[in-house]
């Protein structure tokens, strides 16, 4: 008996040691991929000579135009993208305006060229002419670059300026969220902003934006007081609830379809440190994690005061990953509490008393930290320099649909196990989206206000790998997984039309999910401020309002 007990203890100890070793390899695999361009990508040879159009930009803005033959500067600009695919979409030149007047000049030249091409090709027939880059974090090829065209690089619009009374912050559209949090950490302030330090302010905010603070204040877009925008005419517009209110509302999720936003004025709030981190668990905990996720999110509609939803809690964000190189699966769950506990070394009560508090885990990184530290940790899970794909859908917080979602993830793994996909990391992410959050802050056109109080779950796939030859297979596999989830959700009436724009794949149509009325509103605003369609057809990157038909 004693021998059997001893043997059991030894086996258990060995399993823990092996699991810990594997988990640490997993963390290394996710965090430390080499960040470099593949050798076969050549950014500077075989490109056409500058055109009359690009020369006109250079004449007007001699210090702001970068050509491929300026190899060092051009390569640096191209390598600033997060996803490898975007690095490979090579433009004819990059225009990096130094101030808003230079940007107005560039837009005016782009508009003239666009008008000339419209005359030659016929109205509505001119092809993409330029793209706009804020942070360059989208994995969609061409989202912020354009082959043979012009990239407008907003990286110099990166200032972060808190107001004297601490109630607002002016943020340049070319800043990244790390730039924002570093300034605000020192002031004891936060904005409703990004959760990943390397994501750009412009793209996230114009796409709606989920935040650690959404449960308290609403979406990122719903906390923008005003915008500074360069319109298709080359003029500058100040956009707020009092000035151009239709455009103000349209920019809260309408993406880059109306002009180039150069700065945002966002509400700011007092805050010191937050409590955050990840729980790392073996895949054997899947059923318990799904149950814990469902139970915690359902607190939003619970009548039991002892388990009421705590608006200081952000998440949970449940990540299920398959590491192809190791042939292993693992789970990471992000927990955040945006009000620092009195005892920084203890878990906040709402998380401690949840099912997550008792889950067996390999280790936890949860602790009190600055917002910058929390967003840096999120960024470390998927650093730049790799091929990337996103895709998303939305479901209700239904146990059977959550299980079916994980089954779609697992089915895809079975199809990939015998394919040689170098350094593949296949990740399913589940995170809550509560209608209550959407009702906080300013109104937006996302189409979520007409939802009942039932909690929603944003489902997303985040996939990265190393080699171009696997691109189409990975994209097709990801699409099949999303469609498999949608089929189940539709059959069981547990789906939702909304698709979070910032997680959409290139084949998805997020504006259809806003509802027909909101979609038509966005189109009408686009026609009012950009009647010739410069940002619909001339600007190639991003999701366009005219894509698809008028069914919603």
């Amino acid at each position: 008996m004693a021998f059997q007990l001893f043997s059991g203890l030894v086996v258990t100890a060995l399993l823990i040691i092996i699991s810990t070793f594997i988990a640490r390899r997993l963390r290394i695999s996710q965090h430390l991929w080499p960040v470099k361009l593949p050798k076969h990508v050549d950014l500077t040879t075989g490109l056409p000579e500058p055109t009359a159009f690009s020369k006109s930009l250079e004449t007007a803005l001699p210090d702001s135009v970068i050509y491929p033959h300026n190899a060092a500067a051009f390569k640096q600009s191209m390598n600033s993208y997060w996803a490898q695919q975007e690095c490979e979409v090579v433009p004819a030149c990059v225009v990096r305006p130094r101030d808003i007047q230079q940007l107005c000049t560039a837009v005016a030249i782009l508009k003239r060229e666009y008008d000339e091409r419209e005359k030659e090709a016929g109205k509505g027939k001119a092809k993409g002419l330029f793209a706009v880059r804020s942070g360059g974090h989208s994995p969609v090829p061409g989202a912020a670059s354009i082959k043979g065209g012009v990239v407008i690089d907003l990286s110099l619009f990166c200032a972060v300026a808190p107001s004297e009374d601490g109630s607002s912050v002016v943020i340049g559209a070319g800043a990244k969220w790390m730039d924002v949090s570093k300034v605000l950490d020192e002031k004891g302030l936060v904005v409703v902003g990004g959760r990943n330090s390397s994501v750009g302010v412009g793209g996230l905010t114009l796409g709606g934006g989920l935040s650690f603070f959404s449960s308290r204040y609403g979406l990122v877009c719903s906390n923008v007081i005003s915008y500074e925008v360069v319109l298709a005419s080359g003029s500058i517009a100040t956009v707020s609830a009092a000035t151009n209110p239709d455009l103000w509302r349209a920019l809260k999720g309408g993406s880059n379809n109306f002009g180039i936003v150069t700065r945002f004025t966002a509400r700011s709030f007092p805050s010191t440190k937050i409590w955050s981190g990840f729980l790392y668990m073996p895949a054997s905990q899947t059923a318990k994690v799904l149950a814990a996720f469902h139970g915690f999110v359902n607190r939003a509609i619970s009548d039991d005061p002892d388990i009421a939803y705590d608006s200081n809690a952000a998440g949970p964000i449940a990540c299920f990953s398959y590491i192809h190189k190791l042939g292993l699966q693992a789970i990471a769950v992000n927990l955040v509490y945006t009000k620092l506990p009195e005892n920084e070394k203890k878990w906040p009560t709402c998380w401690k008393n949840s099912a997550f508090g008792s889950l067996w885990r390999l280790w936890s990184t949860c602790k009190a930290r600055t917002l910058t530290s929390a967003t840096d940790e999120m960024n470390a899970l998927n650093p730049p320099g790799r091929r990337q794909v996103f895709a998303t859908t939305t479901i209700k917080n239904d146990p059977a649909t959550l299980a079916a979602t994980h089954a779609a993830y697992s089915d895809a793994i079975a199809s990939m196990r015998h394919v040689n996909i170098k350094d593949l990391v296949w990740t399913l992410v589940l995170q809550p989206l509560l209608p209550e959050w959407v009702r906080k802050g300013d109104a937006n056109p996302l189409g979520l206000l007409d939802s009942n109080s039932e909690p929603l779950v944003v489902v997303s796939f985040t996939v990265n790998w190393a080699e171009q030859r696997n691109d189409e297979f990975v994209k097709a596999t990801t699409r099949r997984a999303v469609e498999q989830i949608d089929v189940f959700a539709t059959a069981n009436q547990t789906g939702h039309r909304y698709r979070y724009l910032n997680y959409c794949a290139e084949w998805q149509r997020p504006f259809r999910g806003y509802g027909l009325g909101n979609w038509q509103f966005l189109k009408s605003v686009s026609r009012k401020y950009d009647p010739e369609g410069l940002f619909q057809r001339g600007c190639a990157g991003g999701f366009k309002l005219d894509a698809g038909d008028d069914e919603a």
Side-chain angles (χ1 to χ4, degrees), residues 11-32:
V11 170
T12 300
L14 286 173
L15 286 173
I16 292 174
I17 292 170
I18 292 169
S19 297
T20 302
F21 171 74
I22 290 171
R24 292 189 184 281
R25 286 193 66 191
L26 166 63
R27 182 161 61 173
I28 291 170
S29 296
Q30 287 185 306
H31 291 198
L32 300 180

Side-chain angles (χ1 to χ4, degrees), residues 427-438:
T427 300
L428 164 68
V429 182
L430 306 175
Q431 55 186 306
L433 176 60
L434 305 187
E436 179 187 351
W437 302 353
V438 183

Side-chain angles (χ1 to χ4, degrees), residues 189-201:
L189 297 171
V190 295
V191 293
V192 182
R195 300 168 297 185
N196 183 319
S197 60
S198 71
V199 169
V201 169

Side-chain angles (χ1 to χ4, degrees), residues 39 50 77 118 140 166 180 210 248 298 341 420 445 483 520:
K39 293 181 180 179
S77 176
E118 282 274 278
V140 177
V180 180
L210 293 171
W248 178 70
N298 247 27
N420 181 22
E483 291 174 343
Q520 290 178 336

Side-chain angles (χ1 to χ4, degrees), residues 331-346:
I331 304 170
V333 180
N334 182 246
L335 306 179
V336 174
Y337 198 76
T338 58
K339 182 180 179 182
L340 190 64
E342 291 184 7
N343 187 335
E344 295 186 13
K345 295 183 179 180
K346 290 187 176 181

Side-chain angles (χ1 to χ4, degrees), residues 19 24 34 49-50 56 60 66 74 84 100 131 141 152 189 209 232 273 277 308 316 338 361 369 378 429 529 535 549:
S19 297
R24 292 189 184 281
E49 291 296 316
S56 65
I66 305 171
F74 190 79
Q84 179 60 36
I100 194 167
I152 303 294
L189 297 171
K273 293 180 179 179
T338 58
R361 51 190 176 269
R369 62 176 86 203
M378 192 74 77
V429 182
Y529 290 92
F535 289 97
D549 54 35

Side-chain angles (χ1 to χ4, degrees), residues 347-483:
W347 278 41
T349 302
C350 80
W351 287 122
K352 182 180 179 181
N353 293 342
S354 75
F356 289 105
S358 59
L359 282 178
W360 186 87
R361 51 190 176 269
L362 297 168
W363 77 89
S364 165
T365 66
C366 294
K367 63 179 181 180
R369 62 176 86 203
T370 64
L371 182 60
T372 299
S373 172
T375 59
D376 280 345
E377 182 179 35
M378 192 74 77
N379 177 52
L381 289 174
N382 198 355
R386 295 173 48 72
R387 313 191 78 76
Q388 305 278 352
V389 157
F390 287 172
T392 188
T393 189
T394 305
I395 61 174
K396 296 178 181 178
N397 186 41
D398 168 67
T401 310
L402 290 171
T405 297
H406 189 273
Y409 155 82
S410 298
D411 290 346
I413 292 173
S415 72
M416 292 186 290
R417 284 192 184 277
H418 304 295
V419 179
N420 181 22
I421 309 175
K422 185 177 179 182
D423 295 339
L424 171 74
V425 181
W426 166 259
T427 300
L428 164 68
V429 182
L430 306 175
Q431 55 186 306
L433 176 60
L434 305 187
E436 179 187 351
W437 302 353
V438 183
R439 298 186 181 102
K440 296 179 179 180
D442 304 316
N444 59 63
L446 302 181
L448 290 163
L449 289 174
D450 56 0
S451 300
N452 58 29
S453 59
E454 189 172 4
L456 301 176
V457 177
V458 174
V459 176
S460 60
F461 286 93
T462 299
V463 192
N464 59 78
W465 67 103
E467 296 180 341
Q468 185 178 24
R469 63 185 178 86
N470 298 125
D471 287 5
E472 295 308 314
F473 177 82
V474 173
K475 289 180 182 180
T477 302
T478 307
R479 182 168 184 168
R480 281 196 303 271
V482 170
E483 291 174 343

